[in-house]
Amino acid sequence: MKLVKLLGLFALTCVVVACGGNGNKVNNSNSISISSTSSVSSSLATSSVTVQNVFIDQLDPAFKELSAWETTKDRSFSAEYSDGTQAQLVHWATVPSSDQGHNNVIDVQFADNTNYNGLFHIVALDSNGLNMDEFATGKLVFDIKLVNAGNLSPSLSVLVECVYPCTSHAYPLVIPTVNQWVTQEIPVADLIYGGLDISKVNMVFQILPSWDKQTGVNFQLDNIRWEKGNTEAPIAPVPCYKQPFETWGLAYHFEWLGGSSAVVTNALTQIIAQTNITPNWSSSIDKFGYAPAVDDTFSACALVNAKLSAQIFLPKSYVDDGNMKLGFYYEDSSQRRAYDKSFSAAVLAANDWSTISVSYSSFDIISFISMDPSFNANSITHIGIYFDANGKPTSVTGEISVDNIVITKR
């Protein structure tokens, strides 16, 4: 057992809901527009490898070990385990399978221990990570069979890490019927857009049930690999400003903007790779905002001939109701605010990540739907997302996630 006190992913909480499928093959491309904002490296690796195997019957030599990480729910202790029998919650082993198309598989079981949360992952040999640039237009592919749903509904997610605190955000999986193998596919471009630095991948595959809903979950994994795309990586605009929500030490404003101030009470969860908010809706006119501080790159970037985008995860409840509106807002050095045009929850993806964006030829106050008197567009200190109930019943609730506020020049 390798036991290490960690400050890494212990604060990760995932909003993961099972999505609809297309038979036994799932393309988890989501609704994210990645054409103009993916930070794809322009210098691809020179290797001609078409497929990087991770686990097919056995762990590929390019990777160090199968392992797990877990933390107590009070976050007082966390540990990494390389022995599948020693952890308090996450147990795993390579076992033979009698299923057609599968020989040896990874069997992962979450024990009946309600004091812990955890995840299973596969670690690269090099602690500085692997350069996976040549897979930028490819996909992460693996087979999964749910053996026992345990405490989940079911609900699982996958993320990839690129040397702490760099990570993609969590992607929900389409979960099969119990004891049915399905193939999952996640475009690498989606991982990149979700925050992954593909040049230094150290946790090449990570999977976990929803936080606090892990006990009794049992699944098997096989044929885990990264597949190269058929074309070279596209030349993508390099963001001139990016807020990736690596939230340790992040300066931000979480603010009540209208209706009942209770909407923001104990509603914010700061996690490593995104921000989760569970609003306490108390009236049909509640409004709040979350705005990280801009850094020094923003002033050099500026919102001129630029596109501003952000990623939002909305539960199905908000999308089905359709009343809630959201959009970008800005604060100046005197904390005066201006609000950009709104997007309806009804047009965003349900139980999935969506991208909202606005484009600017010039950053002009005439484009705002409202603003405080004397708002100074030349002294912006925070850019964030506002959420407006807009007549939504208080009974429509759920956890919202925000990630990756990006500005790219057109």
Side-chain angles (χ1 to χ4, degrees):
M1 178 184 74
K2 178 178 66 181
L3 187 62
V4 184
K5 189 72 174 288
L6 298 175
L7 293 177
L9 288 169
F10 76 77
L12 179 64
T13 56
C14 294
V15 183
V16 184
V17 183
C19 306
N22 56 345
N24 285 347
K25 195 167 187 178
V26 178
N27 189 328
N28 194 21
S29 61
N30 304 326
S31 58
I32 295 174
S33 171
I34 52 84
S35 59
S36 63
T37 48
S38 296
S39 54
V40 178
S41 171
S42 60
S43 60
L44 300 178
T46 57
S47 169
S48 60
V49 173
T50 302
V51 177
Q52 173 60 67
N53 291 334
V54 179
F55 182 97
I56 298 179
D57 292 337
Q58 61 183 359
L59 187 64
D60 190 90
F63 302 97
K64 181 180 180 181
E65 61 193 11
L66 308 177
S67 61
W69 172 90
E70 60 187 30
T71 179
T72 53
K73 288 188 176 179
D74 64 5
R75 301 178 182 178
S76 62
F77 175 79
S78 58
E80 176 89 4
Y81 294 87
S82 56
D83 184 326
T85 66
Q86 296 297 311
Q88 303 300 310
L89 176 67
V90 189
H91 300 155
W92 72 95
T94 300
V95 300
S97 172
S98 59
D99 296 331
Q100 185 176 1
H102 303 276
N103 295 314
N104 295 324
V105 301
I106 305 169
D107 185 79
V108 182
Q109 299 186 35
F110 287 73
D112 186 16
N113 189 332
T114 59
N115 294 321
Y116 282 80
N117 281 305
L119 56 80
F120 171 81
H121 53 203
I122 298 177
V123 184
L125 274 172
D126 188 340
S127 61
N128 294 318
L130 296 174
N131 186 334
M132 304 287 280
D133 277 346
E134 63 184 321
F135 297 95
T137 59
K139 54 194 175 182
L140 170 60
V141 186
F142 60 97
D143 298 339
I144 184 169
K145 181 175 79 170
L146 184 65
V147 179
N148 191 330
N151 194 35
L152 63 110
S153 312
S155 197
L156 290 166
S157 63
V158 164
L159 63 159
V160 176
E161 189 172 325
C162 38
V163 184
Y164 172 79
C166 171
T167 179
S168 73
H169 59 217
Y171 287 85
L173 301 182
V174 178
I175 305 302
T177 304
V178 172
N179 289 323
Q180 176 182 331
W181 284 99
V182 297
T183 300
Q184 305 273 354
E185 297 183 354
I186 301 175
V188 174
D190 283 4
L191 295 169
I192 294 169
Y193 189 71
L196 180 68
D197 182 343
I198 197 174
S199 69
K200 54 175 186 177
V201 177
N202 67 323
M203 303 291 185
V204 73
F205 178 85
Q206 300 188 102
I207 187 168
L208 69 159
S210 293
W211 226 236
D212 297 330
K213 296 181 180 179
Q214 299 190 334
T215 58
V217 177
N218 180 196
F219 53 85
Q220 294 184 341
L221 302 165
D222 196 12
N223 299 324
I224 306 170
R225 71 267 188 198
W226 287 52
E227 295 184 358
K228 191 174 180 179
N230 293 325
T231 60
E232 292 186 351
I235 299 174
V238 177
C240 60
Y241 170 79
K242 185 173 184 179
Q243 171 49 261
F245 285 76
E246 310 298 359
T247 55
W248 298 116
L250 177 65
Y252 62 91
H253 291 160
F254 182 53
E255 353 185 59
W256 164 64
L257 301 174
S260 170
S261 60
V263 69
V264 297
T265 303
N266 298 322
L268 182 65
T269 303
Q270 287 272 248
I271 64 173
I272 184 175
Q274 65 202 46
T275 289
N276 287 358
I277 304 164
T278 306
N280 297 304
W281 301 107
S282 301
S283 80
S284 61
I285 60 170
D286 286 354
K287 185 176 180 180
F288 69 91
Y290 178 87
V294 300
D295 61 22
D296 292 341
T297 63
F298 173 74
S299 59
C301 182
L303 285 166
V304 177
N305 293 322
K307 180 179 179 179
L308 172 65
S309 64
Q311 291 182 295
I312 309 292
F313 188 109
L314 284 189
K316 189 173 184 292
S317 54
Y318 295 108
V319 177
D320 287 351
D321 173 73
N323 280 290
M324 187 175 75
K325 293 190 175 189
L326 61 147
F328 294 100
Y329 77 109
Y330 316 90
E331 290 187 355
D332 66 16
S333 56
S334 298
Q335 206 167 347
R336 294 170 295 213
R337 306 180 186 101
Y339 299 89
D340 220 318
K341 68 179 183 179
S342 62
F343 298 82
S344 170
V347 302
L348 272 64
N351 298 330
D352 208 342
W353 290 94
S354 298
T355 296
I356 61 172
S357 63
V358 292
S359 295
Y360 291 95
S361 296
S362 61
F363 192 60
D364 196 322
I365 60 175
I366 64 173
S367 66
F368 302 140
I369 58 173
S370 67
M371 66 179 178
D372 294 338
S374 302
F375 171 78
N376 185 352
N378 295 315
S379 66
I380 292 175
T381 59
H382 293 73
I383 298 177
I385 310 295
Y386 68 85
F387 297 86
D388 186 349
N390 189 45
K392 178 191 67 62
T394 57
S395 58
V396 176
T397 61
E399 189 173 52
I400 298 165
S401 298
V402 183
D403 199 5
N404 291 320
I405 295 177
V406 174
I407 301 173
T408 51
K409 290 295 190 180
R410 294 189 295 174

